Amino acid sequence: MTYIKPIFRHPKLPKNKIGYTLKEYEGAISNLCAGCGHDSISTAIVQACFDLSIEPHKVAKISGIGCSSKTPAFFLGNSHGFNSVHGRMPSVATGANLANKDLVYFGVSGDGDTASIGMGQFVHAIRRNVNMVYLVMNNGCYGLTKGQDSATADQGSKSKAGSINPFQPVDLASLAVELGATFVAQSFSGDKGQLVPLIKAAIHHKGFAFINVISPCVTFNNNVGSTKSYDYVREHMEMTSKLDFVPQESEIKVDYEEGEIAQVTMHDGTRLQLHKLENEWDPKDRLSAMNAIQRARAKEEIITGLLYVETRFGDLHDILGTSDIPLNKLTAKELNPGGAALVEINNGFN
Amino acid sequence: MSGAINQVSRPSQVNDFVVRFANVNGTGSASANFLFAKAIFRMGIPVTPKNIFPSNIQGLPTWYEVRVSEKGYLGRREGIDLVVAVNAQSFEKDIQSVRAGGYLIYDSTKKMHNNLIREDIHYLGIPMMEMCNTHFTDPRQRQLFKNIIYVGALSVLLSIEFEVLETLLAEQFAGKEKLIAPNIKALKLGANYVLEQFQYPLDFHLQRRDLVKSKILVDGNTACGLGAVYGGATVVAWYPITPSTSVAEAFDKFAGKLRVDKVTGKKNYAIVQAEDELAAIGMVIGANWNGARSFTATSGPGVSLMNEFIGLSYFAEVPAVLVDVQRAGPSTGMPTRTQQSDVLLAAYASHGDTKHILLFPSTPKECFELTAKSFELAEYLQTLVVLMTDLDLGMNDHMSEPFEWDDNHEYNRGKVLTEEELENMGRYGRYLDVDGDGIPYRTIPGTHPTKGGFTTRGTSRDEYAAYTEDNKAYQRNMERLLAKWETARELVPAPEVYHEANQHNFGILFYGTSTYSSEEAKDILEAKGIGLDAVRIKAFPFNATVKDFIASHQQVFVIEQNRDAQLRSLLMMDLSIAPEKLVPVLNFDGMPITADFIAKSIASHLFQEKHLQHDLYQTHI
Ligand SMILES: Cc1ncc(C[n+]2csc(CCOP(=O)(O)OP(=O)(O)O)c2C)c(N)n1
Ligand code: SF4
Ligand SMILES: [Mg+2]
């Protein structure tokens, strides 16, 4: 069975600045379980891209394998997607990004896909500061292979079958901060209000933008005793800040009291305006981000929102010094040195 | 200790001998030995140098073999005429490696043990260390110039023109002219010692010729790196592994000169040292998917790691280019020796029904051309192309025709739809076989706002790239991939058939670095009255010519450098050939195959099968 939506456009559907309706950012109908957290994240991505008026085909969606990695088919149907191999999305995204620096890259992964089989590639994509949004739909289990614990499952968390996870979890957000990711955020699939501006900010960030989204698996890990269930996350969420995303051309409206506001100017001039809820935290200070994460952990809270952002560093293209024209647009004229150059090269070998 | 020995000396031979240098690695011997080989090349005489090196940075034995051949045979030859033995560790073994009647040059600073004396060879002792200590003060120079001293000695013993050596040193040290004089001094020390102490030249030596013409002396990895620049590669991802490392390094070096924008100083390429081979091939697939020509280079262990992605390239029909510089086996040690032992691994890499296009260059010029060509084939056929070279071809210098490029050649990017084409067409189907050749049309991300977008997957999709687990759709797709394979069969480079009409009952078939020695073996056997037809394979799948060649001979000898007769298996599988038609001739000790070995193997088979008379087999070959 294939899932292609009937095309129906309501004449009065609102359009964004470049004339597209929200529908044009949607994808095929999801075949995930009803209520799966991943579907809410897809909806948030659709909303963010619509709001930002990104041309749908200027996005490339790349994923690994898992329920989460299937989602690129369910958002931005006019964009190219690549459901690649388990745990290797970062390398495919890195190669794709090197080929064309002008697209927006959405890397979609799961906690199994990233924190286990794909840990090595995750780490190295961060090191290289690949300009992409790296979104983990984190449900603490392997959904697609039917519910095994993943490496992000909390110690003591109970599975649906009743077993208790005895192992320490991998905390992807603190790992990303530790490794020097230049944008690190954490959110919850059930909090669209927070997720949408975070995705927008991540898209505008030039460099590696990591969002770890807790995304409950209703089929295998939404039971009592699981620390990745809807109920548990709702009860234990603690926000760093309320985030407003201010596009380049808009003016900043200061609605908050002085002293509670933190502002971050992105590479392209857009600004993030953060209404801080956490006092001892500064989004531009890596140490305070680490501390905020650890403080929340000690209290068995899940800290959400933007955790850390660094806008001073160049991305992989800047580091490598590649041409301004995307490499995939170069023609033989720029690429081929021609027969004459070979004469000289041959002379070097005789 | 030179002088009369119990051996009839061979008649004086010009331009036909083998010299072997036995050194300790990391002592600077490589550049001295290359100077020796290059000087012969500059004298217009065909030469083949081969490095036999350990998997180590400093301190282990290393050998460098130089074959000189007036007739232009470039394969390795057995029977070493002269050994320069300056490694105490391997000294005993090195003495044994000299052919009867041959020569050994050694450092006579310390007296040699009597039990190391062989009665049937000549010993030429030169007190190299003592000379260095007397004439040089810097400790590093004392070590380095020992090597230059023996080159100086050889120049007199073998009649190397001294001016040629001087010119080469001047070229080598252009910009560091200070170093020229002490090098020449060391050369002269060696030369003068011979002039005073020994008879010269030896019974085999050199004479200037004009046999080199416009040929170049270059290694295959350099040629592959350059070929990738010319082939239009823009994204390179790689992970260091001997013997493939210098492919990526060569690309980087040439691109750094030829691919940098003069105005902006920015690079028209990107090269990334990946965290492992999985990531390297992942990046290559990502870049190709996104419309850039991209490749990686590795060796067997890397190919093993890349298996899952290789299957993805096949099923998802994403172009990719992989240079496999083959080596001997896993781990460390033997891997710095050569083999053609990844043939089956590469041909059928990955899970599910997969098979991949292989190209087999046999010279640096072909490395250059076929690397460039692999991008065309990969894009046209939307699949992985593996360039199968090996350590011998990749890391040793070979005398080769010069590189050439046809400026009229335009890159053929294959069936890629443009924005206008998408705009003006009906429904686009990524996996539709529109032209009946099994090759569907690709779209590159970012081309058209509303048409041509789809999700790339390994399997589970229909002709329109929509998700489906329908078994019929899967089977249709697999059959189309097979149709594409048949299209590839006649698109890949055709084999080289050595005679237009087949004249003999028996044929030989070979590829890659088995070529030089196979050609020479054919001549050796022909001189003994055993005529053979020959064909050189350049690609898998095998095209019709290969099938015809095998069909028109009683038996065909398949010559290769692996234990399991891998190409023979591939021929049997791909062309449904009966096993008894193909006789394996196999060398797999890690050393490049020799003509002697091939000739003997073939003669012995023919004798056992009673195709040869006893006396003919007995003749020394
Ligand atoms: C190499 C390989 N090993 C194992 C699998 C099987 N597999 C498919 S999805 C998956 C785990 C997915 O977990 P996660 O990334 O957390 O995604 P989720 O389904 O939970 O969203 C595994 C192990 C595979 N596809 N490939
Ligand atoms: S199994 Fe879990 S993760 Fe997978 S679709 Fe169902 S709810 Fe979502
Ligand atoms: Mg999961």
Side-chain angles (χ1 to χ4, degrees), chain B residues 324-391:
Chain B
D324 177 7
V325 189
Q326 299 166 88
R327 62 186 214 178
S331 184
T332 177
M334 280 308 277
T336 55
R337 309 294 197 275
T338 195
Q339 257 179 14
Q340 298 178 305
S341 52
D342 293 346
V343 175
L344 286 174
L345 166 71
Y348 296 116
S350 205
H351 50 283
D353 288 316
T354 54
K355 36 192 173 181
H356 313 288
I357 291 164
L358 312 181
L359 302 181
F360 299 103
S362 64
T363 63
K365 187 179 190 210
E366 269 186 5
C367 284
F368 172 78
E369 288 171 351
L370 292 183
T371 303
K373 178 146 189 105
S374 38
F375 293 98
E376 306 267 317
L377 285 170
E379 288 199 322
Y380 194 77
L381 293 162
Q382 300 174 25
T383 196
L384 174 81
V385 173
V386 193
L387 190 83
M388 303 292 288
T389 86
D390 58 28
L391 182 142

Side-chain angles (χ1 to χ4, degrees), chain B residues 118-382:
Chain B
R118 260 176 70 184
E119 292 301 322
D120 59 346
I121 62 171
H122 305 269
Y123 287 80
L124 305 176
I126 302 173
M128 302 175 208
M129 205 209 298
E130 188 190 305
M131 289 158 86
C132 276
N133 290 348
T134 317
H135 295 276
F136 301 100
T137 48
D138 177 65
R140 179 72 186 147
Q141 286 198 341
R142 281 179 172 174
Q143 188 188 43
L144 285 177
F145 288 139
K146 214 171 130 176
N147 306 316
I148 301 295
I149 286 176
Y150 66 64
V151 175
L154 288 171
S155 74
V156 177
L157 289 167
L158 298 172
S159 318
I160 299 175
E161 293 167 14
F162 203 80
E163 309 78 71
V164 172
L165 291 171
E166 284 177 321
T167 312
L168 286 169
L169 285 173
E171 289 171 15
Q172 187 188 343
F173 296 113
K176 296 178 227 156
E177 276 74 12
K178 266 207 331 256
L179 297 174
I180 299 177
N183 271 281
I184 296 208
K185 178 173 154 189
L187 276 179
K188 285 197 171 145
L189 284 170
N192 290 337
Y193 191 85
V194 173
L195 290 170
E196 287 157 19
Q197 303 288 329
F198 304 127
Q199 283 187 338
Y200 59 89
L202 301 182
D203 47 6
F204 50 86
H205 52 263
L206 301 160
Q207 237 169 56
R208 181 173 272 282
R209 291 284 187 269
D210 186 19
L211 298 168
V212 165
K213 312 265 187 223
S214 63
K215 291 201 177 68
I216 56 176
L217 192 62
V218 68
D219 64 84
N221 284 356
T222 297
C224 286
L226 185 64
V229 172
Y230 274 76
T234 51
V235 178
V236 184
W238 66 291
Y239 188 76
I241 181 170
T242 308
S244 74
T245 299
S246 49
V247 175
E249 287 172 347
F251 178 89
D252 201 17
K253 187 184 106 197
F254 286 117
K257 287 191 190 126
L258 303 165
R259 282 276 198 82
V260 177
D261 190 289
K262 296 224 166 48
V263 183
T264 61
K266 295 207 170 165
K267 293 175 181 164
N268 288 329
Y269 66 97
I271 181 162
V272 176
Q273 185 185 319
E275 56 270 33
D276 55 30
E277 288 88 346
L278 278 79
I281 188 80
M283 290 178 200
V284 167
I285 287 176
N288 274 293
W289 173 76
N290 213 5
R293 286 189 166 179
S294 173
F295 82 100
T296 184
T298 188
S299 191
V303 179
S304 298
L305 284 181
M306 291 174 182
N307 261 258
E308 188 183 17
F309 261 127
I310 287 176
L312 184 73
S313 158
Y314 179 82
F315 281 103
E317 296 179 71
V318 179
V321 172
L322 164 59
V323 179
D324 177 7
V325 189
Q326 299 166 88
R327 62 186 214 178
S331 184
T332 177
M334 280 308 277
T336 55
R337 309 294 197 275
T338 195
Q339 257 179 14
Q340 298 178 305
S341 52
D342 293 346
V343 175
L344 286 174
L345 166 71
Y348 296 116
S350 205
H351 50 283
D353 288 316
T354 54
K355 36 192 173 181
H356 313 288
I357 291 164
L358 312 181
L359 302 181
F360 299 103
S362 64
T363 63
K365 187 179 190 210
E366 269 186 5
C367 284
F368 172 78
E369 288 171 351
L370 292 183
T371 303
K373 178 146 189 105
S374 38
F375 293 98
E376 306 267 317
L377 285 170
E379 288 199 322
Y380 194 77
L381 293 162
Q382 300 174 25

Side-chain angles (χ1 to χ4, degrees), chain A residues 38 68 110-112 137-143 150:
Chain A
H38 302 351
S68 34
D111 43 320
M137 302 183 172
N138 187 345
N139 53 16
C141 72
Y142 289 9
S150 82

Side-chain angles (χ1 to χ4, degrees), chain A residues 1 20 57 78 80-81 83 88 91 95-96 105 121 124 128 321-324 328 335-336 338-339 346 349-350, chain B residues 42 217 230 259 266-268 273 275 278-279 283 290 309 403 405 407 411 443 446 448-450 452 454 456:
Chain A
M1 166 171 192
Y20 290 103
H57 68 302
N78 284 320
H80 275 71
N83 197 174
R88 318 296 173 199
S91 62
Y105 291 90
Q121 297 209 345
H124 289 275
R128 298 189 181 102
T322 54
S323 79
D324 295 333
N328 73 350
L335 299 179
N336 197 303
N346 283 327
F349 296 121
N350 62 23
Chain B
R42 283 284 175 89
L217 192 62
Y230 274 76
R259 282 276 198 82
K266 295 207 170 165
K267 293 175 181 164
N268 288 329
Q273 185 185 319
E275 56 270 33
L278 278 79
M283 290 178 200
N290 213 5
F309 261 127
F403 304 130
W405 187 262
D407 285 326
Y411 293 154
T443 56
H448 190 286
T450 54
F454 66 97
T456 302

